[in-house]
Every structure is written in C-alpha cells, then in structure tokens.
Amino acid sequence: MEFDFDKHKTQGVKVNYYYICHRKLWLFSKGISFEKNDDRVLQGKVLHEYSYNREKNKEIEIDNTIKVDIMDKENVKEIKISSKMKDSDRMQLLYYLYYLKQLGINRKGKINYTKEKRVEEISLTTEDENTIENVLVDIKKIENMNAPPKTIKKPYCKKCAYYEFCYSGEEE
C-alpha cells in the first residue's frame, strides 16, 4: 500500500517530540506551549540566531511546514546545543531528509552539536524511510486523541518546559 505523505506530513519539532514525550507532542499539537519563557528554549534560539552567521541559507522554511536550520547543495544541517537528546535530534533530521526527498531533493544531513564541537553525519536509508512513515502515522493517532497520553516519568522531565503542567498537584 502506497504511503500518503501529504496526509501525514507534519512539523519537524513534532517528530522530535514524538521521541521525547508523546504527552508533550499532544499538548504542542493542541497549541499548548510553555516554551516561550523556558530558559533552555531561549538558549537554543540565541544559539540559532548567532551561530553559523557565514552560512547563507539559514532558517529555510519549506511548504510552511518544516524549517531547516541550514541547507546547502549537499547537506541539511541541524544546530543543537548538545547530544543529550541524540535519538530525537537524529530522527528530526532524518524526517527533514525524507520530506525533501518527497519533493525530489536529495541531501545528506549533519547535526552540529555546538557545545561538544562535534558533527554527526546522517544519511537516509530505506529502513529510515519506513520508520518515519510509521512515526508519522503514530503522530496523527496521538494528535487525534481526545485527551493527552498519560504522564511517563523520564530522567529529563524536570528540565522540560511542560514539567509544572504535567506534575502540578502531584507529590514526588
């Protein structure tokens, strides 16, 4: 059965959130965002604004749906502070590569971890494409839920902008 990309395409941040927390993904998809005043998010925005100033093609928005940090003739580059969320970062970039491939644009990917001064190179495989298609189907299912998924305590919850919302009224 042919995958209907147009029906399932979404923002890259939602793919990232899918790998971090389904509850966060659901809340974000409903327009509930606590990230505007979050220090870690602000730190990331400053990083994006002031790093890689010599790059010509920064913050490229495509189809009013995805926004890649940097794109040149060979690569799509994502800028991240650290590799603490390595899997979600990798899947977000793979999604961008997949998205662009659907438009007939083939690129490789690089994740620039600025704090660690390290670059990870990423290539999209057929297996990755299948995984992304399954994730996109799951994202739609999560977005269509009537209530948010249950809270699942993870090691990084306390640093999340949604922490107080998810754990208000709960004792630890």
Side-chain angles (χ1 to χ4, degrees), residues 76-132:
V76 172
K77 301 174 187 175
E78 274 296 293
I79 303 167
K80 302 292 183 183
I81 294 172
S82 77
S83 61
K84 287 183 181 174
M85 300 297 199
K86 186 177 178 178
D87 292 337
S88 59
D89 296 341
R90 182 177 179 281
M91 292 310 296
Q92 181 179 3
L93 181 53
L94 283 170
Y95 173 62
Y96 291 156
L97 298 176
Y98 174 86
Y99 193 109
L100 291 168
K101 185 175 180 181
Q102 302 309 303
L103 301 176
I105 302 168
N106 291 305
R107 296 283 190 278
K108 290 185 179 178
K110 291 185 178 182
I111 303 175
N112 296 17
Y113 293 111
T114 59
K115 195 175 192 179
E116 300 157 14
K117 295 184 169 119
R118 188 172 65 81
V119 176
E120 182 177 340
E121 295 189 8
I122 306 283
S123 293
L124 181 68
T125 66
T126 303
E127 185 179 329
D128 294 328
E129 289 179 24
N130 293 330
T131 299
I132 288 165

Side-chain angles (χ1 to χ4, degrees), residues 1 14 22 57-58 76 86 91 97-98 106 114 124 142 154 161-163 171:
M1 187 171 153
K14 290 182 181 179
H22 291 181
N57 298 315
K58 282 180 65 172
V76 172
K86 186 177 178 178
M91 292 310 296
L97 298 176
Y98 174 86
N106 291 305
T114 59
L124 181 68
I142 292 167
K154 296 184 178 186
Y162 292 80
Y163 178 77
E171 292 184 29

Side-chain angles (χ1 to χ4, degrees), residues 134-148:
N134 290 328
V135 166
L136 293 175
V137 169
D138 278 354
I139 287 172
K140 287 293 180 208
K141 288 178 185 174
I142 292 167
E143 290 176 328
N144 289 325
M145 293 171 67
N146 291 327

Side-chain angles (χ1 to χ4, degrees), residues 44-59:
K45 287 183 183 197
V46 169
L47 172 71
H48 278 256
E49 192 171 322
Y50 293 104
S51 59
Y52 302 94
N53 284 330
R54 286 177 255 158
E55 294 284 347
K56 293 177 184 165
N57 298 315
K58 282 180 65 172
E59 298 285 323

